[in-house]
Amino acid sequence: MERTTTASAEDFLDRALVEEAAKKSGLLWVQPAGQPHARPLWHAWHDGAVVVVGEGGEQPLHGLAAGATAALTLRSKDKWGRLVAFTATVTLLAPGTPAWDGAVEELKGKRLNAPDTDTITDRWARECRVLRLEPTGPLAALPTDALTAPPMPSPVTTRQPVPAGLPKLLFKKRKR
């Protein structure tokens, strides 16, 4: 009987750690089942689960599908190191439901620099997917390797040749 009490106390503490880490950090890494790498996503914590919005002009949700599982890793807000890892079940929230409305209210507060702040809820209902990632089972062991991954393919680039006149502008000596 004492063993059951200890296990439930540990489960309670694990859930509390996950909740506190998710509330403090605005970024987590999600690795959908069957995918080789984890991807960073911004998120919010709502009603006992992580909620994310993506697609339709928001962050990509590659590999996250309703009914699937994903491995989540949360970081420490102050040190930015891995704090806790766990498995979550993915659920798609339907627009207009109370669960969707509550999740979207939390996400709106976390969305920075939205181009359409006044109508963002309508756009998310039309174009995006809102997913709920509910923790399941015990905490996972933190990985010991770096978990580095190549950037996602994109037509956008920041590497361009330096303009010929730039060194002269930056390093010219001022005459007095």
Side-chain angles (χ1 to χ4, degrees), residues 33-99:
Q35 297 288 322
H37 301 292
R39 301 285 184 201
L41 296 176
W42 65 271
H43 71 283
W45 180 265
H46 176 68
D47 197 26
V50 169
V51 289
V52 295
V53 62
E55 312 300 344
E58 296 293 337
Q59 61 192 343
L61 300 175
H62 298 296
L64 285 176
T69 60
L72 279 65
T73 305
L74 290 161
R75 67 181 184 168
S76 166
K77 185 173 182 170
D78 57 349
K79 303 289 184 189
W80 291 18
R82 290 179 216 135
L83 183 61
V84 63
F86 59 96
T87 303
T89 303
V90 181
T91 307
L92 176 65
L93 300 178
T97 61

Side-chain angles (χ1 to χ4, degrees), residues 1-170:
M1 186 140 188
E2 186 177 321
R3 176 86 172 140
T4 308
T5 305
T6 305
S8 65
E10 288 175 8
D11 292 343
F12 176 77
L13 292 174
D14 289 351
R15 293 286 276 190
L17 176 62
V18 167
E19 181 175 351
E20 190 65 21
K23 285 181 177 179
K24 298 274 184 183
S25 180
L27 184 69
L28 58 81
W29 282 264
V30 178
Q31 183 176 3
Q35 297 288 322
H37 301 292
R39 301 285 184 201
L41 296 176
W42 65 271
H43 71 283
W45 180 265
H46 176 68
D47 197 26
V50 169
V51 289
V52 295
V53 62
E55 312 300 344
E58 296 293 337
Q59 61 192 343
L61 300 175
H62 298 296
L64 285 176
T69 60
L72 279 65
T73 305
L74 290 161
R75 67 181 184 168
S76 166
K77 185 173 182 170
D78 57 349
K79 303 289 184 189
W80 291 18
R82 290 179 216 135
L83 183 61
V84 63
F86 59 96
T87 303
T89 303
V90 181
T91 307
L92 176 65
L93 300 178
T97 61
W100 188 88
D101 292 339
V104 166
E105 283 303 312
E106 287 293 325
L107 287 163
K108 280 184 357 183
K110 300 281 185 170
R111 176 62 165 96
L112 303 176
N113 304 324
D116 55 350
T117 306
D118 297 336
T119 60
I120 196 167
T121 308
D122 297 331
R123 181 171 60 86
W124 285 353
R126 276 190 326 270
E127 303 172 5
C128 299
R129 292 188 301 148
V130 176
L131 301 176
R132 175 182 166 87
L133 302 145
E134 187 170 358
T136 57
L139 297 182
L142 290 175
T144 56
D145 57 341
L147 297 178
T148 57
M152 293 173 45
S154 171
V156 178
T157 180
T158 56
R159 301 290 254 159
Q160 296 178 0
V162 175
L166 185 61
K168 287 182 182 178
L169 290 173
L170 293 176

